[in-house]
Amino acid sequence: MGDGNGLTEPAGDAPRRLKGARRLKLRTVLLIVVFVPSLTFAPLLASGMSQLATQWQAEKVQMDLATATVGRPAAELLFSLDLERRLTAQVLAAPGSAARGQLAEQRAVTDRAVAAFRPLTGLDAENAQEGLLDAVARTDRGLTGLAEQRRSVDAGLSSAQRAFDYYSGVLESDLAVLTALGKTDEGEVNRQAQALVDLYWVVYMLGREDAVLARGWEAGRLTRTEYGIVTDAIGTRNHLMRSRVIPALTGDETRYAAMTNSRAWQTLTTLEGRLVASGGVADQVTLRDDGAAWRSAMDEVTGQLRELLDLRFANLSRIGYDHATMVFTVFVIISTIGLLALVLVFFTSWRLTAVLRRRILHLRREAQELQERLPEVVARLERGEDVDVDAEVRPLRTTPDELGELGQALNLASRSAVLTAVRQAEQHRGFQRMLQRIARRTQILIGLQLKKLDELERRHEDPEVLEGLFDLDHLTARLRRYEENLVILGGGQPQRRWRKPVHLLDVLRAAQGEVQDYRRISIDVEGEPWIAERAVGPLVHVLAELMENATAFSRPMTPVEVRAAPVSRGVAVEIEDRGLGMEPEQYEAANELLRSPPRLDVMTHADDVRLGLYVVARLSASLGLKVELRTSAFGGTRVIVLLPESLVVERPPTAAAPAPRAAQVPPEAPEPVGASRDEGELPARTRGRAMASVSAAGPPDRAAAPPPGRGPLPQRVRQASLAAELRVPSDRQERTGEESWAVRDQPRRSGATIGAFQRQSRRRRTGDDAFTPGAGGSAEPSPPTTEDR
């Protein structure tokens, strides 16, 4: 039958029931899942069950204490001490009477009651009535003086009043125990227990009155104090009986309502009336010889009261245990119903959740597949492949409910995501191509500019003009590196190529020549490592970026040290500055970028100051370099570039071995002008040696011939200071595919060379033959020229 929500459940057809459940509206399913647990309210059920269990346990414990554990020993102690108090009073009033034997027997009964009461001091306080343990402790402390009191009575050292006060104090402590037992957690039990406590007080008042009169019957008189005790006890007892005990009697207890009309009670009342009437105002009250009648009536009334106490005690026990049993029954019923409700909740929730889970998991799988397909589509787009949006997006089959609408939205989102990725990839590829075209055109112009600067440097010999040309040449070389950065960020690779391996020192000098503040960089290379030709261009670019970063983020006057040495797995190059360094998390982020270079979107990272790190990361990944940033001992940053063994080669057989450091001419001893060289030997730069003696090959120009007796003017030889591997071929066609590079010397070497060249040129023109180099032969260093590239 239908339920109005499209759910049809034929009997015995589980598949159709499941199919009907799938057609439930999502709102209906959620309402069922939410409201069924809310109605059962499991936490409240657990709290109620816990409270019922606690109440039942507490009532059961309290009833056990009131009836068996504490109630009966305390009641027996009350009756025993009350009787011992009267017999003690008789013995003190008439030491030779027959009451002494009765006192001895009663003391034995009292001792048994005390022995049964004493263990109650070790009761567990959990669930016990309020004030019970304190009352038990006070009674126990009172009983400790019982033996001493008895010895005083037997020795005749204790007065009647002292003995009376002692027994009365212990009895009142015992009554406090019985009163505390009536304070349970159940109201009806408390009401019934109050009448029982009142009956105990009636017995206590009768015993109090009997103890005082016991010694009065022997003496035939009472003192005014004793008379007051008796009259107070009579008034209290009558009030309790008429106002509290008799009105509280119920059931089979009502037959004791006429107890006050019995013959014994009437006799007791008559004798008390005579006693009260004979009080007068004298210091002593004379008693008639009514002791035998009093004793007979007193014993009978006490027996009746004890019968009523036992009956009341039994009824109270029954009421208390019945209520505890009722609480336990309620606890069992509620627990059973609650557990059944929880089982129903779990079963219903499981059934409905299973349906929802299958449908939602299906949507999640589709979303995960889209998540896996989208990066693959993007990767294909990055590789330049064409992607068909309709073929990549597989639409989900939808249903006419909320989850079906969600599936339709997922279809739209899938198509939109793939289409957006395709459009962004096309836009990104277009921007990269545009960026590379612009950078390539700019590189052509930069190459033409370098060529023009070469021509100007060869044409002019004025030191000031040459210095300006050198600066322009250096700026142009840096601009060429920046343009290569754009090519690399646009997805391309540097175009400069070498056909032969290059010495590592020359590579480091070339990188140094492309740094703005190159004078601060010092280079130290151990050994004679050579770099494979395929890695020269990218390695120079990487080192130049790192050197410029070191000079840019350190103080202008502090040095930047570059050290290179062979290691077990290749060659390690260290670049160390003395700047401010970075925070540990910044080092970690930079190293992570260098380890895993991301795909860089130039349009979204236009303002990122770490574009140089992106370039280094891309080039290092293509070469297999390992670049790591660490904290320097000087407080700055130390960069370690590890060149793998695949990039380090042996020195080519045709390459001339560099002069050893020990054989280099020191700065203080530059090569003299006109020093002889083997014919055809290219000039070699050494630390501190000037280029004043370098002259071009071939016959000298007659027009520029010096005066007689003077040497020829120094002339710059193009690429004379470069290693053979870094020289640019003279053939114009070969220069088309290979650009010139700046290989600069250390600051004092470059400065010494150019300074010596300028000084010697001036002296030659002025006719001064007395050329003496200054200390070190150095002047203000200037950037490397195009011939050094």
Side-chain angles (χ1 to χ4, degrees), residues 291-585:
W294 171 265
R295 176 52 47 210
S296 176
M298 186 66 183
D299 291 342
E300 186 175 352
V301 168
T302 302
Q304 293 176 356
L305 289 175
R306 293 199 65 171
E307 291 177 1
L308 180 58
L309 278 171
D310 293 339
L311 181 59
R312 186 71 177 182
F313 191 84
N315 291 336
L316 179 63
S317 299
R318 178 179 51 80
I319 293 173
Y321 279 114
D322 288 347
H323 189 270
T325 303
M326 183 269 294
V327 171
F328 179 74
T329 303
V330 172
F331 165 74
V332 172
I333 294 174
I334 292 180
S335 300
T336 304
I337 295 176
L339 291 176
L340 291 176
L342 286 177
V343 171
L344 178 62
V345 168
F346 291 151
F347 178 76
T348 306
S349 301
W350 176 78
R351 293 282 297 180
L352 297 177
T353 304
V355 175
L356 288 175
R357 185 172 179 272
R358 280 191 290 271
R359 299 183 62 187
I360 294 175
L361 285 179
H362 179 66
L363 294 176
R364 187 182 70 175
R365 283 193 298 270
E366 293 295 331
Q368 289 177 346
E369 290 179 3
L370 173 63
Q371 181 183 2
E372 295 174 357
R373 288 198 308 271
L374 191 58
E376 182 181 355
V377 170
V378 173
R380 290 167 55 191
L381 292 172
E382 291 179 352
R383 293 193 298 267
E385 300 180 10
D386 295 330
V387 174
D388 187 2
V389 177
D390 295 330
E392 295 297 331
V393 178
R394 298 190 295 271
L396 299 175
R397 291 179 297 177
T398 60
T399 54
D401 57 6
E402 287 80 358
L403 287 179
E405 295 176 358
L406 179 60
Q408 183 64 26
L410 185 60
N411 290 336
L412 297 177
S414 303
R415 184 176 182 83
S416 176
V418 175
L419 185 60
T420 302
V422 171
R423 291 178 179 176
Q424 287 184 350
E426 293 176 352
Q427 182 181 6
H428 184 74
R429 285 201 299 264
F431 181 80
Q432 284 185 333
R433 288 193 296 268
M434 180 186 68
L435 186 64
Q436 291 186 28
R437 284 197 298 268
I438 295 175
R440 296 299 184 191
R441 291 178 182 178
T442 307
Q443 284 182 333
I444 294 174
L445 297 179
I446 292 173
L448 295 175
Q449 184 175 346
L450 287 172
K451 179 180 178 182
K452 186 65 176 178
L453 288 173
D454 289 341
E455 295 176 357
L456 292 176
E457 289 170 1
R458 289 194 301 270
R459 186 181 307 168
H460 295 278
E461 295 182 356
D462 185 359
E464 295 182 358
V465 175
L466 284 176
E467 185 175 2
L469 292 176
F470 292 160
D471 291 339
L472 288 176
D473 190 277
H474 181 63
L475 291 175
T476 305
R478 290 173 53 208
L479 181 60
R480 176 179 56 188
R481 178 166 56 86
Y482 296 155
E483 288 298 324
E484 284 187 352
N485 285 350
L486 296 180
V487 174
I488 295 170
L489 294 177
Q493 291 293 329
Q495 294 297 318
R496 291 180 285 178
R497 297 288 185 269
W498 272 259
R499 290 190 291 270
K500 295 181 180 180
V502 179
H503 191 245
L504 178 59
L505 178 60
D506 296 328
V507 173
L508 294 174
R509 288 172 177 174
Q512 180 186 15
E514 296 188 4
V515 179
Q516 178 180 2
D517 204 358
Y518 64 93
R519 296 175 178 87
R520 295 164 48 195
I521 302 175
S522 64
I523 298 176
D524 185 16
V525 179
E526 295 182 8
E528 299 295 336
W530 289 71
I531 306 302
E533 58 274 13
R534 66 181 180 87
V536 173
L539 180 59
V540 171
H541 199 118
V542 168
L543 295 175
E545 289 289 342
L546 296 175
M547 290 181 185
E548 184 166 19
N549 182 75
T551 58
F553 291 97
S554 59
R555 298 185 58 136
M557 301 305 295
T558 57
V560 174
E561 299 177 358
V562 180
R563 297 178 295 273
V567 293
S568 60
R569 296 187 178 181
V571 174
V573 180
E574 297 184 9
I575 303 174
E576 187 172 18
D577 62 61
R578 302 186 182 184
L580 297 177
M582 297 187 296
E583 298 295 331
E585 56 272 11

Side-chain angles (χ1 to χ4, degrees), residues 9 91 108 113 139 258 359 379 421 474 501 515 556 631 683 713 765 773 783:
E9 297 184 6
V91 169
T139 305
R359 299 183 62 187
H474 181 63
V515 179
T631 303
L713 289 174
R765 291 188 182 93

